[in-house]
Amino acid sequence: MNPRTGAHYKTVVPVPIGDAEILTQYVPADAVAPARPVAEDQDAVSVLVGRLRVEAAAERIRSTGRPATGDRVRHAPAGVVRARGFTLTRTPTPRNPLHVSLTRGGGWDDAAAQLLDRCFVDAGAWVGTDA
């Protein structure tokens, strides 16, 4: 039970993420290091399962539901990310049922960030918006 709201948690049965599935990372224009967790105390990078355009990703992530000028997405196959040592865990929320957390057993350092960046660079370029 959620102590704040009193709601009961649902039991979630994990659905595997196939190697051929595409992951989308949404990155705001002002992001400094997209291949690292947002805050120092976090151990995961957030992505979405599915090949989404920047507008569709923003609907699930931004409070306004719209991308800002310069926001962008990038895509990578789940198998490539997994092969480079990252663990993919579906972590859906009511607002974002496509949410996936990327973790790495050794933690996040420059080498891990470069490995993750390389997963997306190998898969193609950034796709952005001038909204």
Side-chain angles (χ1 to χ4, degrees):
M1 179 180 294
N2 183 318
R4 186 173 57 79
T5 65
H8 290 278
Y9 292 117
K10 292 181 181 178
T11 302
V12 178
V13 177
V15 177
I17 299 169
D19 285 347
E21 289 191 71
I22 300 299
L23 303 174
T24 298
Q25 185 181 25
Y26 179 84
V27 181
D30 61 353
V32 177
R36 289 185 181 266
V38 174
E40 293 285 328
D41 63 341
Q42 293 180 341
D43 64 353
V45 168
S46 294
V47 297
L48 304 165
V49 69
R51 182 177 196 83
L52 303 176
R53 294 173 49 101
V54 68
E55 296 82 5
E59 286 177 17
R60 290 160 177 82
I61 294 173
R62 291 183 49 91
S63 60
T64 64
R66 295 184 313 274
T69 300
D71 287 0
R72 59 209 189 277
V73 294
R74 58 186 184 170
H75 305 100
V80 170
V81 175
R82 191 178 287 115
R84 296 222 170 120
F86 296 92
T87 300
L88 313 174
T89 306
R90 288 187 193 262
T91 48
T93 66
R95 179 179 171 157
N96 186 356
L98 303 178
H99 190 269
V100 173
S101 295
L102 299 182
T103 55
R104 184 161 169 82
W108 291 93
D109 56 12
D110 289 341
Q114 289 172 359
L115 268 176
L116 184 57
D117 270 337
R118 192 75 191 151
C119 294
F120 289 96
V121 170
D122 288 351
W126 286 99
V127 180
T129 182
D130 293 325

